[in-house]
């Protein structure tokens, strides 16, 4: 086992991959179905041909520039493992800020109802559902493949019975008259022209539908702000992830759409990252 993964590590080193050892170990653990300790303990054993083929398959993809999380198809978010497919964005650590804020908002409520727009892997609502057992969530995405993954992830984390997926654009699939305590969204917010300048891991492997926010990056915020008021309870909150330079513009879009209590929050790197908006400003 040891010789097999070290051969891959050496290949990665020669290819200039900074994380050669870590990547090779992670692939070996996944290909051989072992944890780190077992990989060490079974160091001298020979690898069955089938498993070696899997390992070599992973290595070939990595050498072509595919990120490790894409190859393994799993990413940790809020301490939970989320399965990915080609239609889902890899959940980012900064999006956990929305979960933290969302928990503060729904914590005092009984049986809160959440709507997550552009759900991808379902990471935001699923994380929230695992924290409170009386909460229910509706998750919308334009991609049926993303919703399949979100459904899988919700079932995997034991919240599938409180999680509904709906396919369509933003509020289109929501029944008129439905009202939510919390609407969350991490929408696509990259300017179309900027996508070509992103790191290859993102540009070539995250789905375009998850990135492209239109010419000025703000198309999704306009669409969501225009209708969110119709689907929020009077005391409800809208929680949006934003790009670091978008706070002013999204603030203005929300105020223009009738929102009052608009608060901007920064991430750990000190960058504007999230906006909370309410129909009625907090007293
Ligand atoms: C930036 S990704 C966020 C995914 C996930 N919420 C997360 O934080 O990892 C944006 C998501 O919005 C979806 N999307 C894009 N346009 C949409 C639309 N018009 N209506 C609904 N979902 C849309 C994409 O398919 C993608 O899953």
């Amino acid at each position: 086992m040891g010789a097999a993964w070290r051969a891959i590590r050496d290949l990665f080193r020669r290819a200039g991959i900074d994380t050669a050892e870590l990547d090779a170990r992670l692939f070996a653990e996944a290909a051989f179905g072992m944890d780190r300790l077992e990989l060490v303990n079974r160091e001298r054993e020979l690898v069955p041909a089938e498993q070696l083929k899997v390992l070599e398959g992973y290595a070939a993809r990595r050498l072509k520039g595919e990120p490790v999380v894409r190859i393994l198809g799993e990413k940790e978010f809020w301490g939970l493992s989320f399965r990915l497919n080609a239609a889902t964005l890899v959940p980012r650590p900064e999006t956990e800020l929305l979960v933290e804020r969302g928990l503060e908002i729904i914590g005092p409520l009984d049986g809160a109802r959440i709507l997550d727009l552009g759900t991808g892997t379902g990471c935001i609502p699923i994380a929230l559902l695992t924290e409170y057992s009386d909460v229910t969530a509706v998750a919308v995405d334009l991609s049926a493949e993303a919703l399949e993954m979100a459904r899988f992830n919700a079932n995997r984390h034991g919240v599938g019975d409180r999680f509904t997926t709906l396919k369509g654009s933003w509020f289109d699939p929501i029944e008129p008259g439905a009202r939510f305590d919390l609407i969350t969204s991490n929408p696509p917010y990259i300017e179309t022209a900027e996508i070509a300048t992103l790191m290859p891991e993102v540009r070539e492997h995250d789905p375009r539908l998850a990135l492209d926010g239109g010419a000025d990056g703000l198309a999704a915020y306009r669409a969501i702000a225009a209708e969110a008021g119709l689907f929020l309870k009077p005391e409800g909150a809208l929680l949006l992830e934003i790009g670091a330079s978008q706070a002013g513009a999204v603030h203005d879009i929300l105020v223009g759409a009738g929102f009052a209590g608009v608060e901007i929050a920064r991430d750990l790197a000190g960058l504007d990252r999230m906006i909370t908006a309410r129909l009625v400003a907090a007293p």
Side-chain angles (χ1 to χ4, degrees):
M1 304 270 166
W5 78 257
R6 277 193 292 276
I8 301 295
R9 175 198 63 192
D10 295 345
L11 265 181
F12 288 171
R13 280 189 180 151
R14 282 199 291 281
I17 296 173
D18 290 343
T19 49
E21 171 142 354
L22 178 66
D23 294 6
R25 273 182 195 273
L26 289 173
F27 288 147
E29 286 167 21
F32 308 162
M34 292 177 189
D35 62 17
R36 211 179 156 154
L37 189 64
E38 200 178 352
L39 191 63
V40 173
N41 288 339
R42 297 177 60 183
E43 156 80 25
R44 287 165 181 275
E45 288 178 34
L46 286 178
V47 182
E50 268 309 295
Q51 293 181 1
L52 193 59
K53 221 165 118 191
V54 174
L55 178 65
E56 286 169 354
Y58 291 158
R61 288 169 66 183
R62 184 75 190 104
L63 288 166
K64 283 191 196 139
E66 199 170 337
V68 174
V69 282
R70 282 273 167 217
I71 297 167
L72 296 180
E74 296 275 342
K75 172 75 183 174
E76 193 173 302
F77 177 88
W78 200 255
L80 306 166
S81 189
F82 284 84
R83 175 86 57 92
L84 312 169
N85 66 14
T88 55
L89 185 88
V90 176
R92 309 293 205 262
E94 55 269 25
T95 303
E96 293 184 343
L97 206 59
L98 262 79
V99 178
E100 273 172 37
R101 184 78 184 102
L103 288 176
E104 287 168 12
I105 292 168
I106 61 174
L109 308 175
D110 285 329
R113 296 191 70 207
I114 302 166
L115 171 62
D116 183 50
L117 300 172
T119 204
T121 52
C123 58
I124 299 168
I126 293 169
L128 290 167
L129 290 176
T130 61
E131 297 288 341
Y132 292 116
S133 58
D134 62 345
V135 173
T136 53
V138 175
V140 172
D141 208 289
L142 205 47
S143 158
E145 291 80 7
L147 290 175
E148 268 172 37
M149 216 65 287
R151 161 60 49 205
F152 174 90
N153 286 319
N155 292 342
R156 170 191 238 185
H157 294 302
V159 299
D161 56 335
R162 294 181 284 125
F163 184 78
T164 305
T165 55
L166 295 175
K167 181 180 171 330
S169 184
W170 309 132
F171 294 98
D172 287 357
I174 307 296
E175 208 179 299
R179 291 278 189 278
F180 297 89
D181 297 283
L182 176 65
I183 299 176
T184 54
S185 185
N186 173 19
Y189 56 69
I190 314 284
E191 292 175 22
T192 306
E194 205 191 314
I195 293 176
T197 69
L198 299 175
M199 290 188 306
E201 280 88 358
V202 177
R203 190 180 68 216
E204 287 167 20
H205 299 285
D206 275 326
R208 186 149 183 127
L209 188 62
L211 301 175
D212 193 346
D216 64 357
L218 300 169
Y221 298 109
R222 288 195 194 90
I224 292 172
E227 287 191 76
L230 297 171
F231 296 95
L232 269 180
K233 291 187 186 170
E235 305 297 323
L238 173 65
L239 202 52
L240 300 172
E241 180 164 325
I242 52 169
S245 63
Q246 293 174 323
V250 178
H251 171 279
D252 292 352
I253 290 170
L254 289 166
V255 170
F259 283 88
V262 181
E263 291 163 31
I264 295 157
R266 294 194 167 151
D267 62 18
L268 291 175
L271 302 172
D272 290 337
R273 183 57 64 194
M274 179 177 73
I275 285 201
T276 314
R278 293 179 187 271
L279 293 169
V280 184

